[in-house]
């Protein structure tokens, strides 16, 4: 059976998917699955039923945002039997990376020129991948599933992502409350004066990646006897659309006009493969990690700021747990 959720076209096997879920359970929090099922419209339920997906066994995570709009975001990741017949151009550019699937990918799938901003726009109710306000997208499964069976392009499975926002009931703004922002808890290691010799992107798809800072000497503890501890740093689930690097030249000693360039993380890595990055300051909050310092490159000494948006954790890989 073939179905279309523009710009994706899929060949699906609902019976094979139902059989898959009889022996597999991707759910981590049953309460989140139950809450989502209660909120879905008939059209949204029909979408999952058509694919053969058992929503009680899909991976579901809910995140509450009690802010100006008071909404809950539901993210659903699900596997189903089938193949991708067409993919958008912004996915193809990533899949064609030699370290992923290579240029042969265009011989296996049709590529549709598509603007990612419009494809993933919540407000466009008329787009083919918007199911009653639930935005869906489809990927090759290897980004979320490490099993060897999913590492080949034509593995017989497709990974689906569904994002749904719902207004929270009974939660209102309370502007009269005075709430103190708590300070950051103490970190296990400090990155001041740490040098990054290489930034590595792993298991990337159109939207996210695992990013590793390969460190020259390691990290520091705040002891009296300060010696670096061999270590690399891993960021899981980095959103590449919202992760950037600012390279700046300040025309003056400490203050003055700024000349520079804003790079995507991937373009920065390609341009400054052999540069030395020295971290001076680190800042964390709201799924963001930011690092500022100096970039020692062929054109001279520059200032730099790296900003990563990641839904996964930040991990200190002591003893160089990641190979180059």
């Amino acid at each position: 059976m073939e179905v279309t959720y523009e710009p994706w076209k899929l060949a699906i096997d609902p019976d094979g998917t139902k059989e898959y879920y009889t022996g597999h359970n991707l759910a981590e929090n049953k309460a989140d699955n139950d809450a989502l099922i209660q909120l879905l419209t008939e059209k949204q339920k029909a979408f999952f039923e058509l694919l053969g997906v058992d929503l009680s066994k899909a991976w579901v995570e809910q995140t509450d945002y009690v802010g100006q709009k008071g909404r809950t975001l539901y993210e659903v990741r699900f596997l189903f039997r089938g193949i991708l017949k067409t993919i958008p151009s912004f996915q193809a550019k990533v899949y064609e990376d030699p370290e992923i699937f290579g240029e042969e990918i265009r011989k296996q799938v049709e590529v549709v020129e598509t603007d990612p901003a419009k494809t993933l726009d919540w407000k466009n109710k008329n787009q083919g991948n918007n199911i009653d306000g639930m935005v869906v997208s489809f990927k090759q499964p290897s980004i979320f599933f490490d099993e060897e069976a999913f590492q080949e392009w034509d593995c017989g499975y497709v990974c689906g992502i569904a994002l749904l926002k719902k207004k929270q009931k009974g939660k209102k703004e309370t502007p009269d409350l005075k709430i103190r922002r708590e300070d950051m808890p103490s970190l296990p290691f400090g990155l001041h004066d740490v040098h990054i010799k290489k930034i590595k992107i792993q298991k990337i798809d159109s939207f996210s990646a695992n990013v590793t800072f390969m460190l020259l000497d390691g990290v520091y503890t705040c002891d009296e006897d300060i010696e670096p501890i061999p270590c690399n740093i891993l960021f899981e689930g980095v959103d590449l659309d919202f992760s950037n690097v600012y390279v700046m030249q300040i025309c003056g000693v400490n203050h003055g006009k700024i000349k520079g360039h804003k790079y995507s993380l991937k373009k920065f890595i390609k341009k400054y493969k052999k540069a030395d990055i020295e971290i001076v300051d680190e800042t964390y909050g709201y799924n963001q990690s930011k690092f500022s310092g100096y970039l020692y490159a062929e054109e001279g000494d520059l200032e730099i700021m790296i900003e990563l948006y990641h839904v996964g954790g930040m991990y200190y890989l002591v003893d160089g747990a990641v190979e180059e």
Side-chain angles (χ1 to χ4, degrees), residues 12-195:
I12 63 172
D13 177 8
D15 292 334
T17 301
K18 292 176 183 177
E19 182 179 350
Y20 170 82
Y21 281 100
T22 60
H24 297 81
N25 188 352
L26 308 179
E28 295 183 355
N29 187 337
K30 186 176 182 299
D32 286 351
N33 292 63
D34 293 341
L36 173 70
I37 293 171
Q38 294 297 318
L39 292 171
L40 292 179
T41 67
E42 292 302 318
K43 189 175 179 179
Q44 291 165 348
K45 290 178 181 178
F47 163 78
F48 291 105
E49 291 171 358
L50 177 64
L51 298 178
V53 174
D54 185 345
L55 267 181
S56 68
K57 296 182 177 180
W59 184 94
V60 178
E61 182 178 79
Q62 79 173 69
T63 305
D64 292 337
Y65 296 96
V66 191
Q68 294 182 345
K69 295 184 178 180
R71 295 183 182 275
T72 298
L73 172 68
Y74 290 87
E75 179 180 353
V76 190
R77 300 177 193 167
F78 52 95
L79 278 172
F80 59 94
R81 294 283 296 172
I83 59 174
L84 291 161
K85 303 286 285 186
T86 68
I87 59 175
S89 52
F90 58 83
Q91 278 186 330
K93 289 177 182 177
V94 176
Y95 290 145
E96 288 172 340
D97 189 307
E99 295 185 3
I100 307 177
F101 298 114
E103 295 180 359
E104 293 295 310
I105 194 65
R106 287 185 181 263
K107 296 180 180 179
Q108 303 180 57
V109 64
E110 180 184 351
V111 177
V112 180
E113 287 296 326
T114 311
D115 182 351
K118 293 181 179 179
T119 303
L120 303 173
D121 185 4
W122 294 89
K123 298 179 181 179
N124 187 0
K125 303 293 185 181
N126 296 320
Q127 63 194 27
N129 64 320
N130 191 314
I131 317 296
D132 272 2
M134 179 178 70
V135 177
V136 298
S137 60
F138 305 93
K139 312 169 188 282
Q140 205 281 339
S142 62
I143 181 62
F144 292 124
F145 301 92
D146 294 328
E147 291 89 336
E148 185 177 350
F150 300 132
Q151 303 310 305
E152 297 294 329
W153 170 259
D154 191 8
C155 64
Y157 286 85
V158 177
C159 175
I161 308 292
L163 297 174
L164 178 67
K165 289 181 181 179
K166 285 291 184 179
K167 190 172 183 180
Q168 297 169 351
K169 295 181 179 180
K171 294 186 178 181
K172 300 179 180 180
E173 294 183 60
T174 54
D176 53 329
L177 289 179
K178 184 179 180 181
I179 302 174
R180 183 183 187 275
R181 177 185 62 81
E182 297 298 331
D183 290 336
M184 189 86 176
S186 60
L187 299 169
F189 301 105
L191 301 186
H192 180 71
D193 288 341
V194 164
H195 286 252

Side-chain angles (χ1 to χ4, degrees), residues 221-249:
T221 58
C222 298
D223 299 328
E224 292 182 6
D225 183 19
I226 298 178
E227 291 292 336
I229 298 174
C231 180
N232 293 319
I233 301 175
L234 170 67
F235 303 88
E236 289 188 342
V238 175
D239 190 324
L240 298 177
D241 288 335
F242 297 98
S243 297
N244 305 289
V245 181
Y246 300 81
V247 176
M248 300 164 284
Q249 177 184 9

Side-chain angles (χ1 to χ4, degrees), residues 194-198 213-218 230-232 276:
V194 164
H195 286 252
I196 303 171
K197 62 181 179 181
K198 182 179 180 181
F213 286 178
M214 314 295 292
L215 304 183
L216 182 62
D217 297 311
C231 180
N232 293 319
D276 175 20

Side-chain angles (χ1 to χ4, degrees), residues 284-304:
Y284 307 100
Y286 191 64
N287 294 342
Q288 295 186 68
S289 298
K290 296 186 179 183
F291 307 91
S292 59
Y294 300 103
L295 173 68
Y296 304 111
E298 292 180 357
E299 61 262 43
D301 298 345
L302 304 166
E303 294 201 17
I304 187 172

